[in-house]
Amino acid sequence: MEKNKVLIILLISFLGIESILKLNVYLIIILMTCVFTFLWYEDSNMTEKKTLKKNQKLMNERNISSKEAYLKQKQLNIIVESIPFPIVLLDIYGKIVLCNEACSLVRNLTMQEMTYIQNDFDEQIQEFMKDCYILEENMEKMMTIKNVEYRAVSIPVTTKGKFSGCMVMLQDISKVLEGEKMQKVFIADASHELKTPVSVIKGMVEILNREDFNDEVTRKDFMKQIEAETKRLENIVSDLLQLSKLSVNPILNRCKVDIHPLIDETVLSFTNVMKEKNIQLVKDYKFNDTVFCDFDKMLQVITNLISNAIKYSDCGTIRITTESDDKYFILKIQDEGVGMSKEDCDKIFERFYRADKDRSRKSGGSGLGLSIVKSIIDAHQGIIEVESELNVGSIFTIKLKN
Ligand code: ADP
């Protein structure tokens, strides 16, 4: 365009010079008018083009910002949807403007039937949302909806310092409450377990300290019992410490362990008790490799299982088998002792659970041995199973990945 303009000006200038030379005044006037008209037209054309360009730029900018806003809205929706607990956003009029899929947990309609209406929410939430909207402040309330415990929290939303709605969230706290309940039960059980031997010891010491007490046979018997109860206390405390260590720090010190010498050494420490009870031992070692495990913790597992097999047998045979399949190293400890019912088998790994209370008590058991075994095997990502039949015997099986 600029080239054309220059050519036209050059042509007009040439004609103008020629007219001046020939002194043609009329032609000069006509030519001058043409030049001015052309220049004015070009100028106005340019202004129009500039305005058009500016408008186009503005429109592009507007398109980009509306695209950005759309993307941001989409991102926000995705975030809100992916939050696993119910979340609702109310506007300045108290109407729902946003709620995620998890809200279906606290609404009466199905997901397909749901709209942004308020009155199908559980009544407690409706009340809570109303209060949050009216009071315009942070609020918190516990509620039970469809047998689930929730902590409802509201946060007021402000724009330029003015209330513009509020956000209501419902946090499922059933697991937290369950954990707290379990902790309370555990503390109560532990206190009870510790209290029993302490009470026995205290009672006997009081009797022994009486000024008129002079019964030598009873004194000897009491002293034996005090010794046994002290041992029991010691066992409970050391098992509790071990369990707490395992739950706080279940880090393993794994290495390749030659498992058979480890079993042999453990069995050796029980030789006297086994002789006393006339218990035979059969070793059936088919495994011929090392096991990748924590040596000390594995020693603890084997000790607890062999000790139980002896404790809960009056005679018979204890068979220890090692084998492997394509996935696991397998250790089986089988006894012909008192055995357990199916219901007991499901519970024996719980802390302080005892199927045979009398025997456990007499042998100074803490009721924590199998919980410790289970925690250790879990830390190894292994499997522990039990098969048992009353008055027939039990088989404890441990599987550790090869
Ligand atoms: P305890 O100190 O009472 O032995 P454990 O946690 O080691 O605690 O075992 C829990 C309960 O499981 C025991 O009280 C006992 O009733 C049962 N039990 C464990 N091992 C055997 C077994 N080999 N035969 C029969 N019962 C067993």
Side-chain angles (χ1 to χ4, degrees), residues 239 304-305 308-313 335 337-340 348-350 353-357 360-361 363-371 388 393-394 396:
D239 283 356
N304 285 10
L305 291 180
N308 275 354
I310 298 167
K311 225 165 34 178
Y312 297 101
S313 298
D335 65 62
V338 291
M340 284 170 280
I348 49 167
F349 297 105
E350 288 171 18
Y353 185 84
R354 291 170 173 106
D356 190 339
K357 286 192 183 71
S360 167
R361 223 190 119 64
S363 58
S366 67
L368 294 169
L370 288 180
S371 303
S388 190
S394 313
F396 283 83

PDB file of all heavy atoms in Angstrom, residues 239 304-305 308-313 335 337-340 348-350 353-357 360-361 363-371 388 393-394 396, ligand 1:
ATOM      1  N   ASP A 239       6.619 -57.139  76.990  1.00  0.00           N
ATOM      2  CA  ASP A 239       5.837 -57.344  75.758  1.00  0.00           C
ATOM      3  C   ASP A 239       5.162 -56.044  75.303  1.00  0.00           C
ATOM      4  O   ASP A 239       5.093 -55.747  74.107  1.00  0.00           O
ATOM      5  CB  ASP A 239       4.775 -58.430  75.958  1.00  0.00           C
ATOM      6  CG  ASP A 239       5.397 -59.824  75.908  1.00  0.00           C
ATOM      7  OD1 ASP A 239       6.608 -59.914  75.638  1.00  0.00           O
ATOM      8  OD2 ASP A 239       4.676 -60.809  76.137  1.00  0.00           O
ATOM      9  N   ASN A 304       8.271 -67.296  70.352  1.00  0.00           N
ATOM     10  CA  ASN A 304       6.887 -67.193  70.833  1.00  0.00           C
ATOM     11  C   ASN A 304       6.047 -68.391  70.381  1.00  0.00           C
ATOM     12  O   ASN A 304       5.252 -68.929  71.162  1.00  0.00           O
ATOM     13  CB  ASN A 304       6.237 -65.904  70.316  1.00  0.00           C
ATOM     14  CG  ASN A 304       6.743 -64.689  71.068  1.00  0.00           C
ATOM     15  OD1 ASN A 304       7.692 -64.785  71.828  1.00  0.00           O
ATOM     16  ND2 ASN A 304       6.134 -63.540  70.849  1.00  0.00           N
ATOM     17  N   LEU A 305       6.230 -68.811  69.115  1.00  0.00           N
ATOM     18  CA  LEU A 305       5.401 -69.912  68.604  1.00  0.00           C
ATOM     19  C   LEU A 305       5.774 -71.253  69.243  1.00  0.00           C
ATOM     20  O   LEU A 305       4.882 -72.030  69.611  1.00  0.00           O
ATOM     21  CB  LEU A 305       5.511 -69.997  67.075  1.00  0.00           C
ATOM     22  CG  LEU A 305       4.871 -68.823  66.317  1.00  0.00           C
ATOM     23  CD1 LEU A 305       5.026 -69.006  64.823  1.00  0.00           C
ATOM     24  CD2 LEU A 305       3.397 -68.667  66.667  1.00  0.00           C
ATOM     25  N   ASN A 308       4.550 -71.250  72.847  1.00  0.00           N
ATOM     26  CA  ASN A 308       3.102 -71.515  72.922  1.00  0.00           C
ATOM     27  C   ASN A 308       2.788 -72.988  72.686  1.00  0.00           C
ATOM     28  O   ASN A 308       1.946 -73.567  73.381  1.00  0.00           O
ATOM     29  CB  ASN A 308       2.359 -70.677  71.875  1.00  0.00           C
ATOM     30  CG  ASN A 308       2.054 -69.279  72.396  1.00  0.00           C
ATOM     31  OD1 ASN A 308       2.294 -68.978  73.556  1.00  0.00           O
ATOM     32  ND2 ASN A 308       1.546 -68.434  71.533  1.00  0.00           N
ATOM     33  N   ALA A 309       3.465 -73.568  71.681  1.00  0.00           N
ATOM     34  CA  ALA A 309       3.211 -74.974  71.356  1.00  0.00           C
ATOM     35  C   ALA A 309       3.485 -75.849  72.593  1.00  0.00           C
ATOM     36  O   ALA A 309       2.742 -76.801  72.863  1.00  0.00           O
ATOM     37  CB  ALA A 309       4.084 -75.400  70.180  1.00  0.00           C
ATOM     38  N   ILE A 310       4.513 -75.475  73.356  1.00  0.00           N
ATOM     39  CA  ILE A 310       4.842 -76.247  74.578  1.00  0.00           C
ATOM     40  C   ILE A 310       3.839 -75.921  75.693  1.00  0.00           C
ATOM     41  O   ILE A 310       3.318 -76.803  76.372  1.00  0.00           O
ATOM     42  CB  ILE A 310       6.297 -75.954  75.032  1.00  0.00           C
ATOM     43  CG1 ILE A 310       7.282 -76.388  73.941  1.00  0.00           C
ATOM     44  CG2 ILE A 310       6.607 -76.629  76.359  1.00  0.00           C
ATOM     45  CD1 ILE A 310       8.703 -75.880  74.143  1.00  0.00           C
ATOM     46  N   LYS A 311       3.571 -74.612  75.836  1.00  0.00           N
ATOM     47  CA  LYS A 311       2.674 -74.137  76.902  1.00  0.00           C
ATOM     48  C   LYS A 311       1.278 -74.765  76.809  1.00  0.00           C
ATOM     49  O   LYS A 311       0.679 -75.135  77.812  1.00  0.00           O
ATOM     50  CB  LYS A 311       2.537 -72.615  76.735  1.00  0.00           C
ATOM     51  CG  LYS A 311       2.650 -71.869  78.024  1.00  0.00           C
ATOM     52  CD  LYS A 311       2.867 -70.379  77.910  1.00  0.00           C
ATOM     53  CE  LYS A 311       2.289 -69.587  76.824  1.00  0.00           C
ATOM     54  NZ  LYS A 311       2.564 -68.149  76.909  1.00  0.00           N
ATOM     55  N   TYR A 312       0.794 -74.890  75.576  1.00  0.00           N
ATOM     56  CA  TYR A 312      -0.584 -75.371  75.402  1.00  0.00           C
ATOM     57  C   TYR A 312      -0.643 -76.857  75.025  1.00  0.00           C
ATOM     58  O   TYR A 312      -1.572 -77.303  74.368  1.00  0.00           O
ATOM     59  CB  TYR A 312      -1.324 -74.482  74.385  1.00  0.00           C
ATOM     60  CG  TYR A 312      -1.417 -73.070  74.923  1.00  0.00           C
ATOM     61  CD1 TYR A 312      -0.550 -72.079  74.487  1.00  0.00           C
ATOM     62  CD2 TYR A 312      -2.326 -72.753  75.930  1.00  0.00           C
ATOM     63  CE1 TYR A 312      -0.596 -70.801  75.011  1.00  0.00           C
ATOM     64  CE2 TYR A 312      -2.382 -71.479  76.464  1.00  0.00           C
ATOM     65  CZ  TYR A 312      -1.512 -70.509  76.006  1.00  0.00           C
ATOM     66  OH  TYR A 312      -1.559 -69.256  76.552  1.00  0.00           O
ATOM     67  N   SER A 313       0.422 -77.598  75.422  1.00  0.00           N
ATOM     68  CA  SER A 313       0.429 -79.063  75.230  1.00  0.00           C
ATOM     69  C   SER A 313       0.801 -79.711  76.565  1.00  0.00           C
ATOM     70  O   SER A 313       1.617 -79.168  77.311  1.00  0.00           O
ATOM     71  CB  SER A 313       1.498 -79.481  74.212  1.00  0.00           C
ATOM     72  OG  SER A 313       1.234 -78.925  72.958  1.00  0.00           O
ATOM     73  N   ASP A 335       1.454 -78.637  66.889  1.00  0.00           N
ATOM     74  CA  ASP A 335       1.470 -79.338  68.177  1.00  0.00           C
ATOM     75  C   ASP A 335       0.249 -80.225  68.334  1.00  0.00           C
ATOM     76  O   ASP A 335      -0.695 -80.130  67.546  1.00  0.00           O
ATOM     77  CB  ASP A 335       1.570 -78.324  69.334  1.00  0.00           C
ATOM     78  CG  ASP A 335       0.354 -77.429  69.447  1.00  0.00           C
ATOM     79  OD1 ASP A 335      -0.750 -77.951  69.687  1.00  0.00           O
ATOM     80  OD2 ASP A 335       0.500 -76.201  69.274  1.00  0.00           O
ATOM     81  N   GLY A 337      -1.563 -80.297  71.192  1.00  0.00           N
ATOM     82  CA  GLY A 337      -2.008 -79.785  72.488  1.00  0.00           C
ATOM     83  C   GLY A 337      -3.503 -79.579  72.608  1.00  0.00           C
ATOM     84  O   GLY A 337      -4.289 -80.271  71.962  1.00  0.00           O
ATOM     85  N   VAL A 338      -3.875 -78.571  73.412  1.00  0.00           N
ATOM     86  CA  VAL A 338      -5.293 -78.365  73.749  1.00  0.00           C
ATOM     87  C   VAL A 338      -6.127 -77.867  72.560  1.00  0.00           C
ATOM     88  O   VAL A 338      -7.336 -78.049  72.521  1.00  0.00           O
ATOM     89  CB  VAL A 338      -5.444 -77.368  74.927  1.00  0.00           C
ATOM     90  CG1 VAL A 338      -4.929 -77.969  76.208  1.00  0.00           C
ATOM     91  CG2 VAL A 338      -4.768 -76.034  74.620  1.00  0.00           C
ATOM     92  N   GLY A 339      -5.487 -77.228  71.606  1.00  0.00           N
ATOM     93  CA  GLY A 339      -6.213 -76.719  70.433  1.00  0.00           C
ATOM     94  C   GLY A 339      -7.163 -75.580  70.787  1.00  0.00           C
ATOM     95  O   GLY A 339      -7.261 -75.150  71.948  1.00  0.00           O
ATOM     96  N   MET A 340      -7.864 -75.102  69.762  1.00  0.00           N
ATOM     97  CA  MET A 340      -8.783 -73.960  69.968  1.00  0.00           C
ATOM     98  C   MET A 340     -10.014 -74.116  69.081  1.00  0.00           C
ATOM     99  O   MET A 340      -9.951 -74.809  68.056  1.00  0.00           O
ATOM    100  CB  MET A 340      -8.105 -72.655  69.523  1.00  0.00           C
ATOM    101  CG  MET A 340      -7.087 -72.125  70.451  1.00  0.00           C
ATOM    102  SD  MET A 340      -6.217 -70.806  69.626  1.00  0.00           S
ATOM    103  CE  MET A 340      -5.072 -71.684  68.627  1.00  0.00           C
ATOM    104  N   ILE A 348      -7.213 -64.740  68.371  1.00  0.00           N
ATOM    105  CA  ILE A 348      -5.990 -64.883  69.183  1.00  0.00           C
ATOM    106  C   ILE A 348      -4.879 -63.881  68.859  1.00  0.00           C
ATOM    107  O   ILE A 348      -3.967 -63.718  69.648  1.00  0.00           O
ATOM    108  CB  ILE A 348      -5.401 -66.324  69.135  1.00  0.00           C
ATOM    109  CG1 ILE A 348      -5.297 -66.790  67.696  1.00  0.00           C
ATOM    110  CG2 ILE A 348      -6.212 -67.278  69.989  1.00  0.00           C
ATOM    111  CD1 ILE A 348      -4.467 -68.031  67.555  1.00  0.00           C
ATOM    112  N   PHE A 349      -4.968 -63.200  67.702  1.00  0.00           N
ATOM    113  CA  PHE A 349      -3.912 -62.219  67.389  1.00  0.00           C
ATOM    114  C   PHE A 349      -4.223 -60.842  67.974  1.00  0.00           C
ATOM    115  O   PHE A 349      -3.431 -59.922  67.878  1.00  0.00           O
ATOM    116  CB  PHE A 349      -3.700 -62.134  65.874  1.00  0.00           C
ATOM    117  CG  PHE A 349      -3.219 -63.432  65.287  1.00  0.00           C
ATOM    118  CD1 PHE A 349      -4.064 -64.251  64.567  1.00  0.00           C
ATOM    119  CD2 PHE A 349      -1.914 -63.852  65.508  1.00  0.00           C
ATOM    120  CE1 PHE A 349      -3.625 -65.455  64.056  1.00  0.00           C
ATOM    121  CE2 PHE A 349      -1.455 -65.065  65.003  1.00  0.00           C
ATOM    122  CZ  PHE A 349      -2.319 -65.875  64.275  1.00  0.00           C
ATOM    123  N   GLU A 350      -5.437 -60.724  68.588  1.00  0.00           N
ATOM    124  CA  GLU A 350      -5.793 -59.450  69.238  1.00  0.00           C
ATOM    125  C   GLU A 350      -5.031 -59.349  70.555  1.00  0.00           C
ATOM    126  O   GLU A 350      -4.783 -60.362  71.224  1.00  0.00           O
ATOM    127  CB  GLU A 350      -7.296 -59.407  69.553  1.00  0.00           C
ATOM    128  CG  GLU A 350      -8.147 -59.242  68.321  1.00  0.00           C
ATOM    129  CD  GLU A 350      -9.619 -59.424  68.633  1.00  0.00           C
ATOM    130  OE1 GLU A 350     -10.008 -59.343  69.818  1.00  0.00           O
ATOM    131  OE2 GLU A 350     -10.375 -59.650  67.663  1.00  0.00           O
ATOM    132  N   TYR A 353      -6.020 -61.121  74.126  1.00  0.00           N
ATOM    133  CA  TYR A 353      -7.047 -62.155  73.977  1.00  0.00           C
ATOM    134  C   TYR A 353      -6.451 -63.505  74.358  1.00  0.00           C
ATOM    135  O   TYR A 353      -5.367 -63.871  73.917  1.00  0.00           O
ATOM    136  CB  TYR A 353      -7.594 -62.220  72.544  1.00  0.00           C
ATOM    137  CG  TYR A 353      -8.737 -63.204  72.445  1.00  0.00           C
ATOM    138  CD1 TYR A 353     -10.025 -62.812  72.775  1.00  0.00           C
ATOM    139  CD2 TYR A 353      -8.509 -64.539  72.090  1.00  0.00           C
ATOM    140  CE1 TYR A 353     -11.071 -63.723  72.740  1.00  0.00           C
ATOM    141  CE2 TYR A 353      -9.549 -65.461  72.058  1.00  0.00           C
ATOM    142  CZ  TYR A 353     -10.825 -65.041  72.383  1.00  0.00           C
ATOM    143  OH  TYR A 353     -11.855 -65.948  72.356  1.00  0.00           O
ATOM    144  N   ARG A 354      -7.195 -64.221  75.181  1.00  0.00           N
ATOM    145  CA  ARG A 354      -6.736 -65.561  75.581  1.00  0.00           C
ATOM    146  C   ARG A 354      -7.876 -66.547  75.387  1.00  0.00           C
ATOM    147  O   ARG A 354      -8.986 -66.311  75.865  1.00  0.00           O
ATOM    148  CB  ARG A 354      -6.332 -65.567  77.053  1.00  0.00           C
ATOM    149  CG  ARG A 354      -5.077 -64.755  77.328  1.00  0.00           C
ATOM    150  CD  ARG A 354      -4.947 -64.634  78.830  1.00  0.00           C
ATOM    151  NE  ARG A 354      -3.704 -64.021  79.199  1.00  0.00           N
ATOM    152  CZ  ARG A 354      -3.628 -62.774  79.638  1.00  0.00           C
ATOM    153  NH1 ARG A 354      -4.717 -62.019  79.703  1.00  0.00           N
ATOM    154  NH2 ARG A 354      -2.462 -62.290  80.008  1.00  0.00           N
ATOM    155  N   ALA A 355      -7.563 -67.658  74.711  1.00  0.00           N
ATOM    156  CA  ALA A 355      -8.588 -68.687  74.531  1.00  0.00           C
ATOM    157  C   ALA A 355      -8.636 -69.526  75.808  1.00  0.00           C
ATOM    158  O   ALA A 355      -9.700 -69.853  76.316  1.00  0.00           O
ATOM    159  CB  ALA A 355      -8.238 -69.548  73.333  1.00  0.00           C
ATOM    160  N   ASP A 356      -7.458 -69.840  76.317  1.00  0.00           N
ATOM    161  CA  ASP A 356      -7.364 -70.657  77.518  1.00  0.00           C
ATOM    162  C   ASP A 356      -6.773 -69.782  78.632  1.00  0.00           C
ATOM    163  O   ASP A 356      -5.560 -69.764  78.855  1.00  0.00           O
ATOM    164  CB  ASP A 356      -6.441 -71.863  77.199  1.00  0.00           C
ATOM    165  CG  ASP A 356      -6.462 -72.907  78.302  1.00  0.00           C
ATOM    166  OD1 ASP A 356      -6.834 -72.554  79.433  1.00  0.00           O
ATOM    167  OD2 ASP A 356      -6.098 -74.063  78.011  1.00  0.00           O
ATOM    168  N   LYS A 357      -7.682 -69.052  79.324  1.00  0.00           N
ATOM    169  CA  LYS A 357      -7.222 -68.050  80.312  1.00  0.00           C
ATOM    170  C   LYS A 357      -6.423 -68.682  81.438  1.00  0.00           C
ATOM    171  O   LYS A 357      -5.385 -68.185  81.850  1.00  0.00           O
ATOM    172  CB  LYS A 357      -8.431 -67.305  80.882  1.00  0.00           C
ATOM    173  CG  LYS A 357      -9.015 -66.322  79.892  1.00  0.00           C
ATOM    174  CD  LYS A 357     -10.018 -65.403  80.568  1.00  0.00           C
ATOM    175  CE  LYS A 357     -10.662 -64.473  79.564  1.00  0.00           C
ATOM    176  NZ  LYS A 357     -11.596 -65.137  78.652  1.00  0.00           N
ATOM    177  N   SER A 360      -2.979 -69.831  80.348  1.00  0.00           N
ATOM    178  CA  SER A 360      -2.157 -68.665  80.050  1.00  0.00           C
ATOM    179  C   SER A 360      -1.665 -68.018  81.341  1.00  0.00           C
ATOM    180  O   SER A 360      -0.508 -67.661  81.488  1.00  0.00           O
ATOM    181  CB  SER A 360      -2.970 -67.660  79.227  1.00  0.00           C
ATOM    182  OG  SER A 360      -2.312 -66.439  79.187  1.00  0.00           O
ATOM    183  N   ARG A 361      -2.609 -67.887  82.292  1.00  0.00           N
ATOM    184  CA  ARG A 361      -2.274 -67.252  83.566  1.00  0.00           C
ATOM    185  C   ARG A 361      -1.227 -68.061  84.335  1.00  0.00           C
ATOM    186  O   ARG A 361      -0.240 -67.527  84.798  1.00  0.00           O
ATOM    187  CB  ARG A 361      -3.549 -67.126  84.402  1.00  0.00           C
ATOM    188  CG  ARG A 361      -3.683 -65.800  85.098  1.00  0.00           C
ATOM    189  CD  ARG A 361      -4.813 -65.792  86.083  1.00  0.00           C
ATOM    190  NE  ARG A 361      -4.319 -65.543  87.426  1.00  0.00           N
ATOM    191  CZ  ARG A 361      -3.734 -64.441  87.817  1.00  0.00           C
ATOM    192  NH1 ARG A 361      -3.548 -63.466  86.969  1.00  0.00           N
ATOM    193  NH2 ARG A 361      -3.306 -64.288  89.045  1.00  0.00           N
ATOM    194  N   SER A 363       0.909 -70.097  83.246  1.00  0.00           N
ATOM    195  CA  SER A 363       2.241 -70.124  82.616  1.00  0.00           C
ATOM    196  C   SER A 363       2.872 -68.735  82.519  1.00  0.00           C
ATOM    197  O   SER A 363       3.897 -68.560  81.880  1.00  0.00           O
ATOM    198  CB  SER A 363       2.132 -70.733  81.219  1.00  0.00           C
ATOM    199  OG  SER A 363       1.222 -69.960  80.476  1.00  0.00           O
ATOM    200  N   GLY A 364       2.202 -67.750  83.145  1.00  0.00           N
ATOM    201  CA  GLY A 364       2.776 -66.395  83.172  1.00  0.00           C
ATOM    202  C   GLY A 364       2.628 -65.662  81.850  1.00  0.00           C
ATOM    203  O   GLY A 364       3.349 -64.704  81.569  1.00  0.00           O
ATOM    204  N   GLY A 365       1.677 -66.119  81.018  1.00  0.00           N
ATOM    205  CA  GLY A 365       1.466 -65.478  79.703  1.00  0.00           C
ATOM    206  C   GLY A 365       0.942 -64.059  79.824  1.00  0.00           C
ATOM    207  O   GLY A 365       0.190 -63.740  80.746  1.00  0.00           O
ATOM    208  N   SER A 366       1.327 -63.228  78.863  1.00  0.00           N
ATOM    209  CA  SER A 366       0.877 -61.833  78.900  1.00  0.00           C
ATOM    210  C   SER A 366      -0.321 -61.613  77.982  1.00  0.00           C
ATOM    211  O   SER A 366      -0.972 -60.585  78.027  1.00  0.00           O
ATOM    212  CB  SER A 366       2.020 -60.917  78.429  1.00  0.00           C
ATOM    213  OG  SER A 366       2.284 -61.162  77.053  1.00  0.00           O
ATOM    214  N   GLY A 367      -0.609 -62.584  77.126  1.00  0.00           N
ATOM    215  CA  GLY A 367      -1.702 -62.411  76.156  1.00  0.00           C
ATOM    216  C   GLY A 367      -1.281 -61.508  75.009  1.00  0.00           C
ATOM    217  O   GLY A 367      -2.111 -61.051  74.216  1.00  0.00           O
ATOM    218  N   LEU A 368       0.028 -61.246  74.911  1.00  0.00           N
ATOM    219  CA  LEU A 368       0.524 -60.342  73.857  1.00  0.00           C
ATOM    220  C   LEU A 368       1.449 -61.039  72.862  1.00  0.00           C
ATOM    221  O   LEU A 368       1.820 -60.463  71.840  1.00  0.00           O
ATOM    222  CB  LEU A 368       1.272 -59.162  74.488  1.00  0.00           C
ATOM    223  CG  LEU A 368       0.432 -58.204  75.333  1.00  0.00           C
ATOM    224  CD1 LEU A 368       1.332 -57.250  76.096  1.00  0.00           C
ATOM    225  CD2 LEU A 368      -0.538 -57.426  74.476  1.00  0.00           C
ATOM    226  N   GLY A 369       1.830 -62.292  73.188  1.00  0.00           N
ATOM    227  CA  GLY A 369       2.816 -62.993  72.364  1.00  0.00           C
ATOM    228  C   GLY A 369       2.443 -63.069  70.892  1.00  0.00           C
ATOM    229  O   GLY A 369       3.254 -62.753  70.014  1.00  0.00           O
ATOM    230  N   LEU A 370       1.190 -63.457  70.608  1.00  0.00           N
ATOM    231  CA  LEU A 370       0.792 -63.609  69.199  1.00  0.00           C
ATOM    232  C   LEU A 370       0.581 -62.253  68.515  1.00  0.00           C
ATOM    233  O   LEU A 370       0.750 -62.149  67.299  1.00  0.00           O
ATOM    234  CB  LEU A 370      -0.472 -64.473  69.088  1.00  0.00           C
ATOM    235  CG  LEU A 370      -0.276 -65.968  69.373  1.00  0.00           C
ATOM    236  CD1 LEU A 370      -1.587 -66.728  69.242  1.00  0.00           C
ATOM    237  CD2 LEU A 370       0.765 -66.578  68.437  1.00  0.00           C
ATOM    238  N   SER A 371       0.214 -61.220  69.295  1.00  0.00           N
ATOM    239  CA  SER A 371       0.098 -59.864  68.701  1.00  0.00           C
ATOM    240  C   SER A 371       1.470 -59.415  68.219  1.00  0.00           C
ATOM    241  O   SER A 371       1.598 -58.806  67.157  1.00  0.00           O
ATOM    242  CB  SER A 371      -0.407 -58.846  69.725  1.00  0.00           C
ATOM    243  OG  SER A 371      -1.623 -59.248  70.236  1.00  0.00           O
ATOM    244  N   SER A 388      -6.699 -75.038  63.831  1.00  0.00           N
ATOM    245  CA  SER A 388      -6.707 -75.671  65.146  1.00  0.00           C
ATOM    246  C   SER A 388      -8.017 -76.437  65.381  1.00  0.00           C
ATOM    247  O   SER A 388      -9.043 -76.127  64.782  1.00  0.00           O
ATOM    248  CB  SER A 388      -6.524 -74.595  66.223  1.00  0.00           C
ATOM    249  OG  SER A 388      -6.305 -75.192  67.462  1.00  0.00           O
ATOM    250  N   GLY A 393      -5.100 -80.276  68.490  1.00  0.00           N
ATOM    251  CA  GLY A 393      -3.834 -79.557  68.324  1.00  0.00           C
ATOM    252  C   GLY A 393      -3.952 -78.369  67.373  1.00  0.00           C
ATOM    253  O   GLY A 393      -5.036 -78.079  66.850  1.00  0.00           O
ATOM    254  N   SER A 394      -2.828 -77.694  67.194  1.00  0.00           N
ATOM    255  CA  SER A 394      -2.829 -76.474  66.366  1.00  0.00           C
ATOM    256  C   SER A 394      -1.651 -76.490  65.411  1.00  0.00           C
ATOM    257  O   SER A 394      -0.602 -77.068  65.701  1.00  0.00           O
ATOM    258  CB  SER A 394      -2.710 -75.224  67.239  1.00  0.00           C
ATOM    259  OG  SER A 394      -3.593 -75.292  68.318  1.00  0.00           O
ATOM    260  N   PHE A 396       0.499 -73.486  63.361  1.00  0.00           N
ATOM    261  CA  PHE A 396       0.748 -72.081  63.015  1.00  0.00           C
ATOM    262  C   PHE A 396       1.652 -72.061  61.783  1.00  0.00           C
ATOM    263  O   PHE A 396       2.707 -72.697  61.775  1.00  0.00           O
ATOM    264  CB  PHE A 396       1.406 -71.345  64.182  1.00  0.00           C
ATOM    265  CG  PHE A 396       0.426 -70.993  65.275  1.00  0.00           C
ATOM    266  CD1 PHE A 396       0.076 -71.920  66.250  1.00  0.00           C
ATOM    267  CD2 PHE A 396      -0.177 -69.742  65.317  1.00  0.00           C
ATOM    268  CE1 PHE A 396      -0.847 -71.609  67.247  1.00  0.00           C
ATOM    269  CE2 PHE A 396      -1.089 -69.417  66.298  1.00  0.00           C
ATOM    270  CZ  PHE A 396      -1.430 -70.356  67.263  1.00  0.00           C
TER     271      PHE A 396
HETATM  272  P1  ADP B   1      -0.413 -65.938  75.997  1.00  0.00           P
HETATM  273  O1  ADP B   1       0.596 -65.158  76.734  1.00  0.00           O
HETATM  274  O2  ADP B   1      -1.727 -65.986  76.693  1.00  0.00           O
HETATM  275  O3  ADP B   1       0.074 -67.267  75.562  1.00  0.00           O
HETATM  276  P2  ADP B   1      -0.494 -65.321  73.190  1.00  0.00           P
HETATM  277  O4  ADP B   1      -0.765 -64.049  72.513  1.00  0.00           O
HETATM  278  O5  ADP B   1       0.806 -65.979  72.909  1.00  0.00           O
HETATM  279  O6  ADP B   1      -0.720 -65.052  74.704  1.00  0.00           O
HETATM  280  O7  ADP B   1      -1.642 -66.314  72.766  1.00  0.00           O
HETATM  281  C1  ADP B   1      -2.983 -65.917  72.845  1.00  0.00           C
HETATM  282  C2  ADP B   1      -3.888 -67.090  73.157  1.00  0.00           C
HETATM  283  O8  ADP B   1      -3.910 -67.985  72.038  1.00  0.00           O
HETATM  284  C3  ADP B   1      -3.418 -67.920  74.291  1.00  0.00           C
HETATM  285  O9  ADP B   1      -3.893 -67.405  75.526  1.00  0.00           O
HETATM  286  C4  ADP B   1      -3.986 -69.288  73.997  1.00  0.00           C
HETATM  287  O10 ADP B   1      -5.309 -69.373  74.466  1.00  0.00           O
HETATM  288  C5  ADP B   1      -4.038 -69.317  72.475  1.00  0.00           C
HETATM  289  N1  ADP B   1      -2.912 -70.100  71.897  1.00  0.00           N
HETATM  290  C6  ADP B   1      -1.769 -69.624  71.412  1.00  0.00           C
HETATM  291  N2  ADP B   1      -0.988 -70.620  70.935  1.00  0.00           N
HETATM  292  C7  ADP B   1      -1.670 -71.754  71.120  1.00  0.00           C
HETATM  293  C8  ADP B   1      -1.436 -73.128  70.829  1.00  0.00           C
HETATM  294  N3  ADP B   1      -0.311 -73.543  70.257  1.00  0.00           N
HETATM  295  N4  ADP B   1      -2.397 -74.023  71.152  1.00  0.00           N
HETATM  296  C9  ADP B   1      -3.552 -73.634  71.703  1.00  0.00           C
HETATM  297  N5  ADP B   1      -3.838 -72.342  72.006  1.00  0.00           N
HETATM  298  C10 ADP B   1      -2.926 -71.419  71.723  1.00  0.00           C
END
